[in-house]
Amino acid sequence: MNKIEMTESIMVAKSQSGLGWEEIAGKVGLDAVFVTSACLGMNNLESEYANKLCEVLTLPAQISEALQQFPLKTREQSIPTDPVIYRWYEIVGVYGETIKELIHEKFGDGIMSAIDFSMHIDKEGNPVEDRVLVTMSGKGIVTLSDWRDNPAMSKSDNPYYRHRFPPEVISHAIWLCHRFTLSFRDIEEMLAVRGVQTSYESVRRWCLKFPRTFTESLRKRQGCRKILTT
């Protein structure tokens, strides 16, 4: 079963159940935005939550398996014509450069992560008309230019010096490799879906070069935990 067939089955079952996304997400035990996104084929659920969702909507095991598959995040249209989705493009068109300027002013030369990211959508009461309240929170990623421009940070102190991608992208690729035992080509494809164009050979080199960096980081965290617990 592909993601399109999965979504069609879920939408039919949701309509028959009479449940809203907030109610479904509450029964599953996850945020409504993430559950909705997974049901629409743009994210995946772990087996525990996929099975719970199928229990809530009385769906077969094939749906659970499809929910657990990694999505291919592509669009046939360059700019969607759906009015709600188009408004987001309009917002970025009007405020995109403003958002960029303010992020750079507060964080330096960097970006907001869409991986370490959360979003909540609420209805806000208003005396005139109710409003849509969207709250987004993404990790602020400092790019390598900030490492180079920091006089207190020497090149030898920065293991990511001369790498094209920021540390978070590299660390995420290494985490995928060791957490899910994926091939380097699998990770290349998963990064491409998120807009990161790199080769499987680069992923292989990262996995060979940086394990020690992660080991030292984990040891420091464990040391902090011991201090806090004593």
Side-chain angles (χ1 to χ4, degrees):
M1 175 176 287
N2 59 41
K3 290 285 188 181
I4 295 175
E5 295 169 335
M6 174 203 77
T7 298
E8 290 175 349
S9 298
I10 290 174
M11 296 304 289
V12 170
K14 174 181 176 291
S15 177
Q16 293 174 346
S17 71
L19 297 172
W21 290 117
E22 294 281 352
E23 296 171 288
I24 294 171
K27 293 178 182 294
V28 172
L30 291 173
D31 180 76
V33 172
F34 188 76
V35 169
T36 305
S37 177
C39 290
L40 296 178
M42 297 304 288
N43 270 302
N44 69 294
L45 297 180
E46 295 181 2
S47 59
E48 174 189 353
Y49 300 110
N51 291 334
K52 282 184 180 179
L53 189 142
C54 289
E55 290 176 8
V56 171
L57 296 178
T58 319
L59 291 166
Q62 300 96 294
I63 302 296
S64 176
E65 293 172 2
L67 281 165
Q68 296 173 56
Q69 295 174 0
F70 292 112
L72 179 62
K73 300 180 180 180
T74 59
R75 289 188 180 275
E76 295 181 358
Q77 298 171 300
S78 57
I79 299 179
T81 55
D82 178 88
V84 176
I85 300 175
Y86 173 76
R87 285 297 173 270
W88 285 93
Y89 279 77
E90 185 178 23
I91 290 169
V92 172
V94 175
Y95 294 102
E97 293 185 2
T98 301
I99 294 170
K100 180 179 183 293
E101 284 294 323
L102 292 174
I103 288 176
H104 285 183
E105 185 176 283
K106 295 177 183 295
F107 290 88
D109 184 13
I111 61 173
M112 182 183 79
S113 173
I115 299 173
D116 189 348
F117 175 85
S118 64
M119 178 169 65
H120 301 281
I121 300 175
D122 295 300
K123 181 178 180 180
E124 183 181 57
N126 187 280
V128 181
E129 289 182 343
D130 290 338
R131 305 180 70 84
V132 179
L133 177 63
V134 181
T135 306
M136 294 187 289
S137 175
K139 178 180 178 182
I141 306 172
V142 178
T143 60
L144 296 183
S145 61
D146 280 357
W147 288 75
R148 289 193 292 267
D149 296 339
N150 186 349
M153 180 66 69
S154 66
K155 296 177 182 179
S156 60
D157 292 328
N158 176 15
Y160 301 96
Y161 182 71
R162 292 191 182 280
H163 281 273
R164 174 186 173 192
F165 295 103
E168 194 203 46
V169 171
I170 297 174
S171 61
H172 184 67
I174 298 171
W175 177 79
L176 286 172
C177 179
H178 293 288
R179 175 63 179 82
F180 299 104
T181 321
L182 299 168
S183 71
F184 299 135
R185 289 185 184 274
D186 289 336
I187 297 171
E188 176 189 358
E189 292 179 4
M190 292 174 67
L191 291 175
V193 168
R194 295 179 177 271
V196 178
Q197 299 296 328
T198 187
S199 68
Y200 71 91
E201 180 62 23
S202 294
V203 176
R204 184 186 71 81
R205 290 175 181 171
W206 295 343
C207 291
L208 289 174
K209 177 178 179 180
F210 291 104
R212 183 176 177 182
T213 303
F214 285 96
T215 303
E216 292 175 353
S217 176
L218 288 172
R219 285 175 179 170
K220 289 178 181 179
R221 292 180 186 177
Q222 290 172 352
C224 291
R225 288 172 185 165
K226 289 179 181 179
I227 292 172
L228 290 172
T229 54
T230 55

